[in-house]
Amino acid sequence: MCGRFVSSSSPERIAAYFGADVTVEPLGENYNVAPTNDIYGVVADADGHREVQAFMWGLLPVWAKERKLGQKMINARAETVAQKPAFKGVFKKHRCIIPMDGFYEWAPGVDGGPVTKAGKLAKRPHFIRRVDGEPLAVAGLWSAWRDRDAGEGAPWLHTATVITTNANSTVAALHNRMPVLLPKAMWEIWLDPTNQNIDMLAGLLVPAPDDLLTLREVSTEVNNVRNKGPNLIAPI
């Protein structure tokens, strides 16, 4: 699962890294991105032109009746993304890359460590990033949704989800799932909306190399979604 991540790069930096144009206003630095927050996504058209756009994190299929469904659709499993009704249509032609500067996972609490208000051992958050400090190119899906109850003039809401796969050995110390990280050589194949080769696309949804990522324990302040500052990724 991927339930929190860091988005500290400007849209201009993201555009430069992914060879894209910027078509979105800055969202601001967010070191604790949570479900339903606005996030950046990189998309491409049939000619290969890439753009950085904004999406709500939590995919809403076109048939969704309520916006709150997006809270449950922040992740899509690589093993079933081509079969699940909510994802199989967008998997064919509405793929994106979600840039992250790192993400969080939690390890079990330990004796002598922090405790919750209920007196139980608190899980220990860890910040996970690339060893070289470059952004993570996370495989995602996007959709455009409109509230039917609001009438035909209602605006379209663009939403996205993160695809997860089995954890590599680095992340497995904390959790059995991790986001799918796409190497640069695969970006064009993934983003091409005309590529509907399901088997080929599914073949990209694999764990990252074991030596790509590093992790460190950070403060439990990240547990509160209201905390958004850079202090959240400081080692403890």
Side-chain angles (χ1 to χ4, degrees):
M1 176 171 178
C2 177
R4 302 280 183 84
F5 68 88
V6 174
S7 178
S8 59
S9 297
S10 68
E12 289 76 18
R13 183 188 174 206
I14 293 170
Y17 187 76
F18 288 99
D21 291 331
V22 178
T23 59
V24 62
E25 294 296 321
L27 300 175
E29 294 184 350
N30 188 346
Y31 288 80
N32 197 5
V33 179
T36 72
N37 285 176
D38 288 337
I39 62 174
Y40 296 115
V42 180
V43 298
D45 61 21
D47 296 323
H49 174 251
R50 298 175 187 172
E51 293 184 351
V52 180
Q53 298 181 1
F55 299 85
M56 184 190 81
W57 186 19
L59 189 134
L60 288 170
V62 293
W63 44 260
K65 294 182 179 180
E66 297 180 305
R67 180 168 175 161
K68 65 181 181 181
L69 178 64
Q71 298 176 6
K72 302 178 181 179
M73 307 283 280
I74 63 170
N75 290 168
R77 294 177 64 91
E79 298 85 346
T80 57
V81 70
Q83 292 83 39
K84 291 282 188 179
F87 302 126
K88 65 180 183 180
V90 290
F91 181 56
K92 287 185 178 181
K93 56 183 179 180
H94 283 178
R95 297 177 300 275
C96 63
I97 291 175
I98 299 173
M100 300 182 184
D101 295 297
F103 61 98
Y104 299 100
E105 278 299 350
W106 282 255
V110 295
D111 291 336
V115 296
T116 66
K117 292 181 179 180
K120 297 181 179 180
L121 293 176
K123 292 184 177 181
R124 298 173 294 129
H126 289 69
F127 175 59
I128 305 166
R129 63 175 179 84
R130 281 182 60 131
V131 172
D132 58 14
E134 292 192 359
L136 304 176
V138 176
L141 307 174
W142 69 273
S143 179
W145 177 83
R146 185 163 60 182
D147 186 352
R148 297 176 183 175
D149 293 336
E152 293 184 3
W156 288 95
L157 176 65
H158 290 80
T159 65
T161 190
V162 170
I163 300 179
T164 66
T165 186
N166 292 323
N168 63 11
S169 63
T170 304
V171 179
L174 306 174
H175 201 275
N176 63 356
R177 305 291 295 179
M178 68 177 294
V180 172
L181 307 181
L182 297 170
K184 187 174 183 178
M186 299 295 103
W187 294 353
E188 182 176 354
I189 294 173
W190 178 255
L191 291 175
D192 181 3
T194 68
N195 179 7
Q196 299 187 17
N197 187 327
I198 300 303
D199 292 336
M200 175 193 294
L201 294 167
L204 305 181
L205 307 180
V206 297
D210 291 335
D211 60 355
L212 184 69
L213 302 172
T214 184
L215 57 84
R216 61 174 179 255
E217 188 171 353
V218 295
S219 169
T220 54
E221 289 185 16
V222 73
N223 295 346
N224 188 332
V225 296
R226 291 190 293 271
N227 297 328
K228 303 290 187 182
N231 61 297
L232 296 179
I233 64 172
I236 62 170

